[in-house]
Amino acid sequence: MNRKPTMKELVAATQLSRATIDRVLNHRPGVNPKTVEVVQRAYSSLLVQAAGGVQLASVTQQASFSVVVQASEEYNESVIATAQKIKNQLDARNVSLDITSCSDVQDDDVVRLLYQQAEHADGIAVVAKNTPIINAAVQKLRQQGKHIVALVSDLDPDARDAYVGINNRAAGQAAGFILGRHLQHDTHASVAVIVGTLSYSCHDDREIGFRAQIRKTLPSVSVAEVISGNDNTQQTYDAAVQLLRNDPTLRAVYNVAGGNAGLAAALDECRSAIRPIVITHEINKVTEKLILAEKIDYILSQDIAKLLLETVDKLAAMKNNQAFASHTFLPIEILTRFTLPAL
């Protein structure tokens, strides 16, 4: 197939408005040079893919990429396990992928790991909090010539080269839509959102999308918010216990973070007449067991293999001075116990 990229594809790839893209394509004045470069890169990348030509992930020489993951233990384990599963595909592309995981650590420790990986890696992907210290470190590495891709949770656009992951605001909207359909006839429904920490932009975006959708579908419902402090089981348990004590008539919980075993334990202890509907994120060995046991109802997830392979595509494109899109949004998978993928 040989065709020009569509406006819809360019909007998805650049996250710019149709008007801005149109100005760039038609060489009209008044567009920031950096914006022009983003559109031109995306256009070239989409042309290559449409023509069935050189793949972005083609690497003629051995490439070494690193992934630093600052997340919950269960999520870190799933990333490491998935990297092992796709090793043959990476070997075929002459790519080595080094996964460094850390949970319950300070941002200084993440920065130290980033600098360590930068000593030998051709490019770095990072799942991390969107804090000044991490953004400053990432920006410094870029100034030193290192390519940086933000995964799952975005960093400041000026700090990293690209983002790969789901559209987290849309994921929050999906959660709000699901709960809105469940509770549309319950005029006294109360719902809550558990946030690990707003330092992760993905947590922030999911909550924003959720609240916006709830306002549309359940305008009379107020959303209670609890900050669990981190993505671990104990802190999520403590946050959920506090939540249920404050509102024993709770009808639904949206957990934008991790620590789902703690949430399930708190709900088990509560033993309310009507168990709240529970929506959470990411399929892993913990959430798989919980959804099969009917302690979680829905999981909003993303394919980690696709996440890593798309990341390799981008880092390879950067290494080979090829065009790449600044955003790649993966499909949002809405899972129930009947539609679980094989882990």
Side-chain angles (χ1 to χ4, degrees):
M1 179 172 63
N2 191 359
R3 62 171 176 78
K4 293 181 179 179
T6 65
M7 181 62 75
K8 183 177 180 180
E9 289 171 334
L10 287 167
V11 169
T14 63
Q15 296 301 290
L16 297 170
S17 69
R18 287 173 174 264
T20 298
I21 294 170
D22 184 72
R23 285 199 295 272
V24 174
L25 295 180
N26 290 287
H27 308 290
R28 296 193 183 101
V31 184
N32 187 296
K34 288 186 177 180
T35 302
V36 173
E37 183 181 357
V38 167
V39 175
Q40 289 174 341
R41 278 182 174 179
Y43 190 92
S44 299
S45 174
L46 290 167
L47 267 182
V48 168
Q49 294 177 56
V54 179
Q55 296 298 307
L56 290 181
S58 61
V59 181
T60 56
Q61 298 177 342
Q62 179 70 28
S64 175
F65 301 136
S66 291
V67 182
V68 175
V69 188
Q70 180 192 23
S72 64
E73 262 184 58
E74 55 261 34
Y75 186 77
N76 293 355
E77 288 174 4
S78 63
V79 172
I80 293 170
T82 303
Q84 189 60 38
K85 287 180 181 178
I86 63 171
K87 187 177 184 304
N88 289 341
Q89 295 180 62
L90 298 176
D91 289 344
R93 301 183 190 194
N94 290 325
V95 170
S96 65
L97 198 61
D98 181 15
I99 311 292
T100 302
S101 70
C102 50
S103 58
D104 289 336
V105 299
Q106 299 299 315
D107 291 352
D108 287 336
D109 297 314
V110 178
V111 169
R112 177 179 54 79
L113 290 171
L114 286 170
Y115 286 147
Q116 283 180 356
Q117 295 303 307
E119 292 176 4
H120 60 81
D122 295 311
I124 300 173
V126 57
V127 182
K129 296 176 182 177
N130 187 31
T131 59
I133 186 172
I134 289 176
N135 278 300
V138 167
Q139 198 161 40
K140 183 177 179 180
L141 288 173
R142 281 186 70 207
Q143 290 168 353
Q144 294 172 356
K146 293 295 179 182
H147 300 299
I148 308 288
V149 174
L151 298 185
V152 181
S153 186
D154 207 356
L155 300 173
D156 284 353
D158 291 339
R160 49 67 172 166
D161 291 289
Y163 168 76
V164 178
I166 61 172
N167 181 329
N168 284 292
R169 193 160 297 190
Q173 288 175 308
F177 173 78
I178 292 168
L179 294 186
R181 295 295 290 169
H182 273 287
L183 303 173
Q184 61 183 318
H185 301 302
D186 188 344
T187 56
H188 302 292
S190 59
V191 300
V193 57
I194 296 179
V195 180
T197 166
L198 293 179
S199 295
Y200 285 106
S201 63
C202 64
H203 293 186
D204 197 12
D205 286 340
R206 290 168 188 172
E207 187 200 7
I208 290 170
F210 180 70
R211 285 181 179 275
Q213 189 62 34
I214 287 293
R215 281 197 299 271
K216 285 183 181 179
T217 54
L218 296 170
S220 63
V221 169
S222 61
V223 179
E225 175 192 272
V226 174
I227 307 295
S228 71
N230 222 320
D231 274 357
N232 69 46
T233 298
Q234 183 61 47
Q235 291 182 7
T236 303
Y237 167 81
D238 293 340
V241 167
Q242 174 192 337
L243 185 66
L244 294 164
R245 282 175 182 166
N246 291 341
D247 187 359
T249 64
L250 197 66
R251 291 292 176 264
V253 179
Y254 174 40
N255 181 18
V256 308
N260 288 288
L263 171 58
L267 289 169
D268 283 344
E269 288 181 14
C270 176
R271 298 184 183 279
S272 60
I274 301 176
R275 187 182 178 92
I277 301 161
V278 178
I279 302 180
T280 190
H281 278 264
E282 309 305 344
I283 182 68
N284 53 54
K285 66 180 186 181
V286 172
T287 55
E288 181 185 44
K289 289 178 181 178
L290 292 174
I291 200 169
L292 288 173
E294 300 186 49
K295 296 179 185 298
I296 288 174
D297 299 288
Y298 299 93
I299 298 174
L300 304 180
S301 194
Q302 55 197 307
D303 189 316
I304 296 179
K306 286 183 181 177
L307 181 81
L308 295 178
L309 291 171
E310 287 284 354
T311 300
V312 167
D313 282 346
K314 271 199 202 310
L315 290 173
M318 296 173 195
K319 175 179 169 62
N320 296 337
N321 295 315
Q322 295 174 334
F324 64 92
S326 60
H327 284 75
T328 295
F329 287 131
L330 300 182
I332 300 169
E333 300 176 341
I334 301 177
L335 305 175
T336 70
R337 65 191 178 94
F338 304 104
T339 59
L340 291 180
L343 290 182

